[in-house]
Amino acid sequence: MRMVLIDFRHPFFRPMSRRIIVFGVIAAWTVFEFSMGSHAWGIFFAALGAYVGWGFFLSGQPDEPETALKEDDTPSSGDKD
């Protein structure tokens, strides 16, 4: 199993509006942290925003969530010898 920080294929992130809102909140929080003088947190949220922006908009992954079982992986119950 692969460990990921954010599962970009989760069904919650399927609508484009949710992806834009999540990215916008992270970007706004980045600006807030830099404006308050907390540069370490600003850098952290800038990196998180870059990661989320890449995963949501630039990675080229399909928008459909991964299925647990694909059609070819289903066990056949009628073929017994």
Side-chain angles (χ1 to χ4, degrees):
M1 183 165 76
R2 187 174 63 132
M3 297 286 294
V4 294
L5 180 63
I6 298 172
D7 184 11
F8 296 116
R9 292 184 177 183
H10 193 278
F12 177 80
F13 295 122
R14 186 174 171 105
M16 180 63 77
S17 61
R18 289 184 185 164
R19 290 185 253 170
I20 292 171
I21 290 170
V22 168
F23 180 75
V25 167
I26 293 172
W29 199 260
T30 302
V31 171
F32 172 76
E33 291 293 347
F34 277 120
S35 69
M36 289 290 128
S38 181
H39 299 292
W41 283 110
I43 291 170
F44 171 77
F45 281 104
L48 182 63
Y51 177 69
V52 167
W54 174 83
F56 283 159
F57 307 116
L58 301 175
S59 68
Q61 293 182 3
D63 290 342
E64 294 83 25
E66 274 187 300
T67 57
L69 285 175
K70 295 183 181 177
E71 293 176 12
D72 297 333
D73 296 339
T74 57
S76 59
S77 59
D79 297 333
K80 292 186 180 181
D81 289 335

